[in-house]
Amino acid sequence: MKERTDNFYLGQQEPVRSTLLALRAIITGHNCEISETVKYGMPCFLYRRNILCYLWTESRTGYPYILMAEGRHITDPALEQGTRTRMKILRVDPHADIPLGTGNIGRSHRALL
């Protein structure tokens, strides 16, 4: 399984690859019970076997984003729901610093864990 996840990251172009790898390290470093697998062709992060989030890239811009599986429970203006009923996304600009600790995102995620 590790080979499948590694291949996803290695298949990305810079600076998206570095951004996705940094997001991977941030997510898995948040809690020792978070594990990584591949679902639907994208990296999926699980907390105690429950889906927490996915990493993916937007087809139009190529920019990465975090897809929060139960995003409807998180209230933060940085998250976009769009037409999704359960999930929300956090877009990440690969040319800028990752917005750690911004808004309610960190506190809301801890509530889900």
Side-chain angles (χ1 to χ4, degrees), residues 14-24 64 92-96 98:
E14 289 297 344
V16 172
R17 177 188 308 153
S18 296
T19 303
L20 289 168
L21 287 169
L23 290 170
R24 174 194 211 185
V92 180
D93 182 347
H95 304 287
I98 296 172

Side-chain angles (χ1 to χ4, degrees), residues 37-83:
T37 188
V38 174
K39 290 188 183 283
Y40 312 110
M42 58 182 133
C44 176
F45 297 89
L46 307 170
Y47 176 71
R48 295 183 181 169
R49 303 178 121 184
N50 295 308
I51 296 173
L52 179 63
C53 64
Y54 298 89
L55 291 181
W56 198 240
T57 56
E58 187 177 33
S59 58
R60 185 176 51 84
T61 64
Y63 281 19
Y65 63 86
I66 303 171
L67 178 71
M68 303 304 295
E70 292 296 331
R72 67 180 175 208
H73 300 294
I74 303 171
T75 56
D76 190 289
L79 294 176
E80 301 173 29
Q81 186 154 11
T83 59

